[in-house]
Amino acid sequence: MRNFLAVTAAACLMMSGAACGKEKVFSIEKDDLGPIYRVDMNKVKTASDLASVPGVKIAWKLGGEGSWLGKAGDFDSDGKVDLICGVHKDGAQRIVRFASDGRRVWTTDKVGGGLGGESGLAVRDLDGDGKCEVVFNVARQLWCLDASTGKTNWMIDLPHCRDNYQMSVVGRFGDRKRLRVVCRVNADMTCYDHAGKKIWHYRITHRNLYGHDMVSFDADGDGLDEIYLSLIGRFLAISGEGKLLWEDKKCPNHSDFILLGDIDGDGDKDVVYDRNGCTAKRGPIVCVNPSGEVQRTWLYARLGKDHLQRGTLGDFIPSRKGVELAAVGKRRGQGGLVVWGGAGKPIWSKDIAAGWITCGDWDGDKACDMMVTMEGGWQVWTGAGKRIYAIAGIGGIPLDIESAGRRRPDIDGNGKADALISVGSGCMVLMEAPSAKWGRGGVSR
């Protein structure tokens, strides 16, 4: 009897997709590129159902519908990954912190509605006291919370604007000891310190204010961040003190991504964006130095021309000098996933319809991989053009305050990049390469 129980227990642990005695929520299919996990969300009743799917590291059932807001991490250095996200329930949106076991740690009062992809949420130590704050912007509001308690540190009411006209970033803007927040609403960019005090204001003079992306990073290596903003007809670089550094007026349309990387491997960082992107379908994508001088261009008159959507930079092919640019288009037949080298010429492309791309070391082999969001699914590709993971039935984009193209972090320090994704049905998942027993690409061994 003892041996029988031991064998039965081992069999239960090895069951693919469900705990012993439960219905599987996924199946394994194959196409011409390899295996695909297909999840049936109608069968998902609990977070543990989703957590049984290979590639899903942690799953949270939110008790409401999730929003674009979300951040996972070890926020208090206790070795456990928590989730802070927006939850819409009973006609109101609130910010909620969940522990890794799904327990609610705190819930805020009602906050403003989401702005779509322009709503960002960052969990950072603003004042340098070793404890994190939560900064997020939603319709007509900019908030700062205590990450441990959910208590409001400060909230700023903002003027009305549309989705693509309000966004925020957190960075080292003119202060080497503390972080600050820059929020753009329509033509007005305002910088607030860690206590919510207004530090500076910059007025955008360009007439067309439509644009998805505003990001911050230290391109010139002086230890302080700059702000980069793409609009229809203009690309702006603003200093951390609120001064215009330079502007690119040769932009008929806006860019759906703004990236930073060492393109040619010379040790200096470059800024990459699309001069005529989104539905304009024309390009080119340009690489400029921190002073705004064009260093090289990437053309996509054919490859990916049907709404080139998002891009990312990574060392996808280590044998080549510098980093490569990868971008995705929304529809089949137009190039789909495209990878360019530093010389500006395409290395390879795959005819897949994708809407979002980011990167990271998915499987811990020290090489950077591309993580691509498909319609109703998610895939991982190597720099050699091999698909090593695919899941269908759950969609969503990787969540973060600046999710477009940024490298995904290794949250738990095991060498594998993690990606937080809102998958529908009021669930969020933290994804990572499956354990070795499932094999590379998902076949149980």
Side-chain angles (χ1 to χ4, degrees), residues 264-341:
D264 53 13
D266 65 354
D268 296 325
K269 295 294 175 61
D270 305 289
V271 181
V272 174
Y273 58 93
D274 198 335
R275 274 182 165 168
N276 199 10
C278 199
T279 54
K281 313 174 187 178
R282 296 181 182 276
I285 302 168
V286 296
C287 165
V288 304
N289 66 17
S291 299
E293 300 166 337
V294 176
Q295 305 298 298
R296 65 191 70 238
T297 61
W298 292 271
L299 301 174
Y300 60 94
R302 295 187 179 181
L303 291 170
K305 69 177 181 180
D306 193 358
H307 196 144
L308 194 72
Q309 182 69 17
R310 293 290 188 180
T312 191
L313 294 173
D315 189 9
F316 304 121
I317 308 174
S319 60
R320 301 176 65 97
K321 188 178 180 179
V323 298
E324 290 75 45
L325 166 67
V328 292
K330 279 190 171 181
R331 298 175 179 87
R332 284 183 176 272
Q334 306 293 342
L337 172 61
V338 188
V339 177
W340 290 270

